[in-house]
Amino acid sequence: DPAGPNDPVLVVDGGSSGHQTFTLVQLEALGTTTITLDEPFVKKRQSFTGVPLSKILARAGIAGGVKITTHALNDYDYANVASAFTGSEALLATQRDAARIPMDQGGPIRIVYPDGTALSGVLDAWNWSLASLSVTSGDGT
């Protein structure tokens, strides 16, 4: 079932702010942007709207040199230093082609990367059905 308006969809652990949860509305209130990119799994151009991961990390007080792990609803994990995500302009997408992303298509949140960035070609980094981000090494500040 899709998340309700008051249901948390993202948990962020670590950094100077400790443990935080976000609903879709709270997440999008941080400020959204829209990018169009070549989606590597469906192999077509699509537009994604979401919150730049850099905004989430800044709000959580997570510094660029620490390792963070993204964790999906299906228990898939991807880890890298925070600066790799922000350097590739990671976007926590909440919409695809101006509509919410269905759960069975990787929603409600997917991490996507603009064409030509370092992680745009690293398919493991394209975590969908994202549930949480956590600091896994370093002090997070």
Side-chain angles (χ1 to χ4, degrees), residues 43-95:
K43 300 186 181 356
K44 68 179 185 178
R45 289 199 60 78
Q46 294 183 312
S47 292
F48 290 92
T49 300
V51 179
L53 179 59
S54 60
K55 289 186 178 188
I56 300 295
L57 298 179
R59 182 179 177 112
I62 297 173
V66 300
K67 183 176 268 188
I68 60 173
T69 297
T70 62
H71 180 77
L73 294 172
N74 67 355
D75 291 329
Y76 176 79
D77 292 330
Y78 176 76
N80 208 329
V81 291
S83 60
F85 289 99
T86 57
S88 285
E89 302 173 36
L91 184 73
L92 299 187
T94 57
Q95 297 180 44

Side-chain angles (χ1 to χ4, degrees), residues 1 15 21 24 29 34-35 43 45 64 67 71 73 76 79-80 100 107 115 117 124 127 131 135 140:
D1 289 336
T21 61
L24 279 175
T34 300
I35 59 174
K43 300 186 181 356
R45 289 199 60 78
K67 183 176 268 188
H71 180 77
L73 294 172
Y76 176 79
N80 208 329
R100 292 277 181 224
D115 296 336
T117 60
D124 290 345
N127 203 333
V135 172

